[in-house]
Amino acid sequence: MTLYERYKRLGINLSQLGLGRGGAHRDYFCTPVGAEVIGWEGADGVHYCFVQGFGGMVFAVSPANLPGDHVHPLARSFEDFLRLVLACGHTAALEQAHRWDRDSFNAFLEEEACDITPEQRAALDALGDSLGLTPMEDPYGCIREVQSGFDYARLRFRPEYNRLVPEEPREHVRPAWKVYLDGDFGPRHQGRDRPGKEVRLDARFTWAGRLWHVPAVYLCGQGLVADFCMEVEPKAIRAFLEKWAPWIQGERKFTPEEQDQFHAEHPQTVSFDPGMEVNGKELGHRGGTGFGWVPVSCMPPEERSAGCQQTWEAIWLMEHYGLDPERGWMFDRRSFSWATKGKPALRTLKLRMGQYPQPVPGPRFTVHGPGDAVPFTHPVTGEAHTLHVVEYEPQTFTPEQLANMEDGEWEYPPCYTAMAYAVTPDLPRGAVSLQDCGQGDRPRRKAPPDPMGPTSASSVGIIAMSRGPAALTPINGSEVQTRAACSALRFRHTDEIQWRMTFYRKTVKDLEIDLPLPQS
C-alpha cells in the first residue's frame, strides 16, 4: 500500500491546512491532462495534484495566475509534499514559493506561524503521527530544487487552455538515457546533480510470489539509484480485472473491507520497503516513484480498438532493459544517500526487501459512551483483547473553524464524534486503527456554480482529536496507550455510529540478497 493510499484511508480532514476534499473528480481549465486532484486550498481555485506520466510528483495548480504560470511542481513524492506541509503549516507558502526568494519565503512563514490555530496544530500533529512523518528540514530549498530542473513543456493541457497559451511545436525525438538522483523516469535534469553512471546488474530473484528484476543501479554524486521491475503474469492481471469488473466499472460500490481486499489482491501492487548496503554500510532511503504497465492482451476490447496507449516512459524503459512488453510490469525507481562523505568505490552491494504492514479487516461494533468495553479477537494472532472507551463526545465545529474550512463555494458538514480509547492487552503503535463505517455527508454548494470551476464535491473524512496518541490511561492498574479516532463529518449528529477495526501485519518475510556486480 502506498503512502497516498494510507493517507486516503485515514480520511484526515486537512481543509484547514489547504487540502480540502471538495471537487476531487473535476478540474479547472488550466488543470493538466491526466491530473488526479489531491486537495483544494479553498481560495482562487488553487488545488494540488499528481499528473500521469510524472510518477509521484506533486503539482500546484493556480487558476488566478497569468497564462503560462498556472502549474508548478512542488515535490518529487507525496511523502515529500506532506513533509513540506508539516514544515510550513499550510499549503499557501508552497503554492507561492516559485515567485519568492528565500528571505521572502521565510518572512511569510514567520508571519503565518503566529496565526496557526489550535485546530490547525491538531491537524498537523495528527498528520505527522498517523503516517510517521517529520517536517522537511529545508522546505524552500526542496521546492526550488524540484522546480529548477523541471521541463514544463512536458505538461499537456486541454484545447481551451492551449488557445490561451499556444503550444510551441516540438520535435518528438527520443532523448538520451539519463538517470538522476531523486529523479523520475523522465530524461530531464533534476537539480544540480549530474546523471548517474549506469552499472548493469541484470539481477533476478523471487519475493512476495513475484519475479523481480534489478537490471541496473546508477552511481550519482550524492547517492545511488536502483530500478526495480516486478514481472506479472498476464493471466493474473486478466483474472483480477474479471473478478473486480463490477467495482472497476462502477456497477458496485466498495465497502471499506472490499477496498482493502482490492488493493491486497491487485497483482501489480506490492508495498515494499527496500534497503541498500554498499561495502557493508547501510544507505539512507530517500524515496522513489513508480507506475505499472498492462500489456495490450489484458486490455478490454474497446480500449484495444481505440488504440489506447500507455506512457512512453514504460516503452522506453522496457526497450532499454530488454523487458518483454507482453508481460505485466510494475516499475519502481528508488534513490539512496551514500553512507560516506563521498561516492565510494562499489565493492559489494546487498539488497534487503521488506514489506510495509498490510491491512487486515477486523470486527465492526457500536459504543455509546465512556466506560463501554468491546471484547474482540485479534484476526491474526487469535488472542483475546478488549477495547475500552475513555472519551466519547459529539462535537461541532465553531463558525470560525468552519470559515477556515469553507472556500465560499461549499458548505461543509460541521458535526462529528470524537473517541479516545485504549486496548488491553495493549498492542504496538500502528498495529490497529478505527474508522467510521459510514462515508459521512458530502459538502453542499452554497452558490451558483462557477463555469470554470469544480461542479461536485467528494465526501469529507475525519479530523483528528486534540488528545494526543502519546497519552496514557490507567486500565486495571496498568498504564495503557491512549488512541484517538473521529467519525466522518455529518450535517446532524447521529446516535448510532458503526465503527470498524483494521489491523496491520506483514505477510511476506524480509529477504536479503547480494547483488552481483560486473567483473572489473
Side-chain angles (χ1 to χ4, degrees):
M1 184 189 303
T2 65
L3 180 67
Y4 183 54
E5 289 167 346
R6 292 167 57 199
Y7 162 80
K8 289 194 295 184
R9 294 187 187 188
L10 288 172
I12 300 174
N13 187 340
L14 300 181
S15 300
Q16 298 183 67
L17 307 182
L19 283 175
R21 298 291 180 99
H25 299 293
R26 299 298 177 96
D27 50 28
Y28 274 74
F29 72 103
C30 57
T31 304
V33 172
E36 178 183 354
V37 177
I38 298 169
W40 298 83
E41 190 170 291
D44 297 326
V46 174
H47 52 287
Y48 303 88
C49 62
F50 303 116
V51 178
Q52 186 177 6
F54 291 88
M57 185 171 283
V58 177
F59 294 80
V61 182
S62 310
N65 287 1
L66 294 174
D69 192 38
H70 289 124
V71 184
H72 293 278
L74 297 180
R76 302 192 190 284
S77 66
F78 186 63
E79 177 179 344
D80 284 354
F81 175 66
L82 292 184
R83 293 184 64 204
L84 287 171
V85 175
L86 291 175
C88 298
H90 196 279
T91 57
L94 315 183
E95 184 259 336
Q96 301 177 76
H98 69 278
R99 67 181 68 176
W100 289 334
D101 59 22
R102 183 180 289 274
D103 290 341
S104 300
F105 181 85
N106 290 336
F108 181 86
L109 290 187
E110 291 176 4
E111 181 178 350
E112 290 297 308
C114 301
D115 297 327
I116 291 181
T117 66
E119 293 77 24
Q120 287 175 310
R121 176 50 56 194
L124 290 167
D125 291 344
L127 177 63
D129 291 341
S130 299
L131 298 176
L133 300 178
T134 58
M136 184 69 70
E137 291 81 2
D138 180 15
Y140 182 79
C142 175
I143 296 170
R144 295 313 296 267
E145 189 268 337
V146 172
Q147 294 174 347
S148 64
F150 185 73
D151 180 7
Y152 288 87
R154 287 186 61 203
L155 292 169
R156 296 183 297 119
F157 297 91
R158 291 180 291 183
E160 56 265 35
Y161 182 78
N162 291 328
R163 285 194 290 269
L164 293 175
V165 186
E167 185 180 11
E168 297 181 2
R170 300 190 301 273
E171 295 182 3
H172 295 281
V173 178
R174 182 162 298 180
W177 179 268
K178 295 181 181 180
V179 174
Y180 296 93
L181 188 68
D182 297 328
D184 59 14
F185 287 93
R188 62 186 181 280
H189 189 280
Q190 299 289 347
R192 299 178 181 177
D193 197 19
R194 294 182 178 180
K197 177 184 177 182
E198 182 175 14
V199 178
R200 290 302 291 256
L201 305 178
D202 294 322
R204 297 185 182 188
F205 58 91
T206 300
W207 182 75
R210 295 285 186 269
L211 178 61
W212 293 74
H213 302 244
V214 182
V217 296
Y218 298 83
L219 311 183
C220 304
Q222 301 299 317
L224 176 144
V225 178
D227 278 349
F228 295 85
C229 308
M230 186 186 75
E231 189 171 340
V232 184
E233 290 282 351
K235 64 180 181 181
I237 298 176
R238 286 192 290 267
F240 174 82
L241 294 177
E242 181 178 351
K243 175 180 178 178
W244 292 95
W247 289 265
I248 296 172
Q249 297 168 7
E251 298 171 6
R252 291 184 59 179
K253 292 184 178 180
F254 283 102
T255 65
E257 290 84 357
E258 287 172 337
Q259 194 170 47
D260 286 343
Q261 184 183 356
F262 176 88
H263 288 286
E265 294 183 4
H266 198 301
Q268 291 177 280
T269 301
V270 174
S271 180
F272 73 107
D273 179 24
M276 280 286 185
E277 191 177 287
V278 170
N279 303 338
K281 295 185 177 180
E282 184 76 17
L283 306 187
H285 188 194
R286 301 169 66 99
T289 183
F291 61 94
W293 167 265
V294 176
V296 175
S297 62
C298 296
M299 294 181 182
E302 60 274 15
E303 292 189 7
R304 295 186 217 172
S305 61
C308 180
Q309 295 181 352
Q310 302 189 69
T311 60
W312 64 265
E313 286 96 338
I315 298 173
W316 189 33
L317 189 146
M318 288 186 291
E319 289 181 354
H320 184 78
Y321 289 138
L323 304 176
D324 185 357
E326 293 303 315
R327 310 288 287 176
W329 296 96
M330 182 193 74
F331 302 116
D332 207 294
R333 176 165 289 173
R334 299 297 182 102
S335 60
F336 305 84
S337 298
W338 297 126
T340 53
K341 291 185 178 179
K343 180 169 60 176
L346 198 59
R347 296 190 299 272
T348 63
L349 183 60
K350 179 175 288 187
L351 168 65
R352 185 197 69 250
M353 298 289 285
Q355 183 193 38
Y356 286 111
Q358 303 299 294
V360 178
R364 295 189 175 200
F365 65 93
T366 57
V367 293
H368 297 92
D372 284 4
V374 181
F376 66 91
T377 300
H378 196 294
V380 178
T381 65
E383 295 180 356
H385 296 265
T386 302
L387 180 146
H388 304 268
V389 180
V390 179
E391 296 178 8
Y392 198 82
E393 182 179 359
Q395 298 186 16
T396 304
F397 285 118
T398 65
E400 292 77 14
Q401 291 171 326
L402 285 174
N404 290 331
M405 292 172 55
E406 295 175 356
D407 57 8
E409 191 172 351
W410 300 97
E411 177 185 5
Y412 287 84
C415 303
Y416 65 98
T417 297
M419 174 169 56
Y421 67 98
V423 175
T424 59
D426 203 0
L427 293 169
R429 185 173 180 181
V432 64
S433 65
L434 299 187
Q435 297 87 29
D436 187 341
C437 294
Q439 295 297 309
D441 294 333
R442 293 177 178 272
R444 301 185 295 213
R445 188 181 290 280
K446 296 195 299 185
D450 181 350
M452 301 300 286
T455 58
S456 68
S458 62
S459 61
V460 177
I462 63 172
I463 69 164
M465 283 189 64
S466 59
R467 186 185 184 97
L472 297 176
T473 298
I475 302 287
N476 299 330
S478 301
E479 295 288 329
V480 184
Q481 176 186 181
T482 304
R483 308 164 191 264
C486 288
S487 73
L489 297 179
R490 296 175 172 86
F491 282 103
R492 295 178 181 274
H493 286 294
T494 178
D495 294 331
E496 290 292 330
I497 296 175
Q498 188 178 42
W499 301 87
R500 70 182 184 99
M501 295 184 184
T502 301
F503 300 85
Y504 299 90
R505 66 162 180 173
K506 287 189 174 185
T507 59
V508 180
K509 292 183 178 180
D510 291 358
L511 173 69
E512 285 193 0
I513 58 173
D514 293 316
L515 296 177
L517 297 177
Q519 297 295 325
S520 57

